[in-house]
Amino acid sequence: MSIENRMICFDTQLHIEAYFLQGIVQDFPNHFHEEYVIGFLESGLRQLRCNNREYLVQAGDLLVFNPRDTHACTQVSEVPLDWRCLNIRPEVMSQMAGEITGREYLPYFQPNVLLQSEHTAVLCELHDRIAQGDASFRKEELFFFLMEQLIHTYAEPSISPEEQAFDGAIEAVCAYLEEHYAETIALNELAAIANRSKYHLLRTFTRQKGISPYRYLETVRIGKAKKLLEEGTSPAEAAFRTGFSDQSHFTNFFKTLIGLTPRQYGNIFLKGSIKDEGN
């Protein structure tokens, strides 16, 4: 049996998170992140579903997720997953785009999977320097070089609401979930907001968003919980304030989506980085 190693650190200079998951065999269910995620597989073979498209990804493939890109992945081979990534908050990405292009905006990256990308070498070195606490400007230089290549080659400006062909009823449901995430929400309420039957709402929402309404709600709750944990809130309090019925469910779902327990995640902002330390 492989030994799992889960590490994350927050770089206070670049204001980004660096994840390193090693020896992982768990599947990750459909979810999304509020941040940009740029990462690559060092080993393993995974079936990835992103924005309703299927990919078979392996070592050397670079993955780029925009905020709210729904994605899930499952283990394919017996080789465990080794995964490195950077989580980049939208405000940091916007500032980076401004530095590179002269205009602050939120780039939209396509495609999500870059097979056997030459950019993994730069990302690997950058990731190493963040993990080692490197204070030299080489780290920032690498970050600029990487983002320059990705933005110029694979990014378009964020799609404005006027340009999107979206269903206003579904957007109203999303807005309601994001505002009332800490409350007990019934499917009847959401159906009434959308003015549709419960079944029609579930089908339409899942087809348009690539994720079910309840999974959307839980993912929003996890995003809110991350911010509380970053501020020093205890896992128990974070679970309560984000609408989870009990701390056990919160801990299990948090680890399923993020790859770390809530306590491990919160510890990075107290200690700078963590290794697998239990719950």
Side-chain angles (χ1 to χ4, degrees), residues 50-215:
C50 181
N51 293 328
N52 295 321
R53 295 190 62 182
E54 299 282 349
Y55 304 90
L56 187 64
V57 293
Q58 59 185 324
D61 293 344
L62 186 73
L63 278 56
V64 183
F65 301 134
N66 303 288
R68 301 298 181 94
D69 278 347
T70 58
H71 55 282
C73 75
T74 56
Q75 188 85 359
V76 174
S77 70
E78 296 181 356
V79 180
L81 171 68
D82 289 355
W83 164 253
R84 297 199 201 197
C85 73
L86 304 178
N87 282 12
I88 306 173
R89 298 174 182 176
E91 59 269 25
V92 175
M93 181 64 78
S94 178
Q95 293 170 3
M96 181 61 62
E99 291 274 2
I100 293 170
T101 69
R103 179 172 64 89
E104 291 195 5
Y105 72 101
L106 294 178
Y108 186 81
F109 292 100
Q110 288 184 317
N112 297 107
V113 177
L114 309 177
L115 300 176
Q116 300 301 295
S117 173
E118 60 185 9
H119 304 303
T120 57
V122 177
L123 177 55
C124 185
E125 183 181 350
L126 173 59
H127 194 281
D128 282 340
R129 288 179 178 272
I130 292 174
Q132 294 163 8
D134 179 27
S136 74
F137 73 83
R138 173 60 176 166
K139 178 181 63 180
E140 191 172 13
E141 182 180 79
L142 286 166
F143 188 37
F144 272 104
F145 285 160
L146 175 65
M147 296 315 305
E148 177 188 30
Q149 290 297 314
L150 294 179
I151 288 175
H152 284 321
T153 308
Y154 302 106
E156 295 292 339
S158 289
I159 303 171
S160 69
E162 293 77 14
E163 296 172 315
Q164 293 176 336
F166 65 82
D167 187 319
I170 300 303
E171 296 302 316
V173 170
C174 289
Y176 185 84
L177 293 172
E178 291 171 21
E179 182 177 354
H180 299 275
Y181 63 89
E183 305 170 14
T184 300
I185 299 174
L187 185 57
N188 284 335
E189 298 176 61
L190 303 182
I193 291 170
N195 193 28
R196 302 185 181 186
S197 70
K198 291 186 285 187
Y199 175 71
H200 191 195
L201 168 64
L202 291 174
R203 284 196 59 188
T204 306
F205 189 104
T206 304
R207 184 174 65 250
Q208 290 196 14
K209 294 297 180 180
I211 192 170
S212 73
Y214 190 73
R215 181 67 76 191

Side-chain angles (χ1 to χ4, degrees), residues 225-239:
K226 285 178 63 179
K227 290 181 171 59
L228 291 173
L229 293 168
E230 291 166 13
E231 296 167 359
T233 305
S234 70
E237 179 67 15

Side-chain angles (χ1 to χ4, degrees), residues 243-261:
F244 283 91
S245 57
D246 60 72
Q247 189 177 352
S248 176
H249 174 62
F250 169 62
T251 297
N252 291 336
F253 192 69
F254 193 100
K255 187 173 181 179
T256 297
L257 290 196
I258 306 302
L260 302 165
T261 66

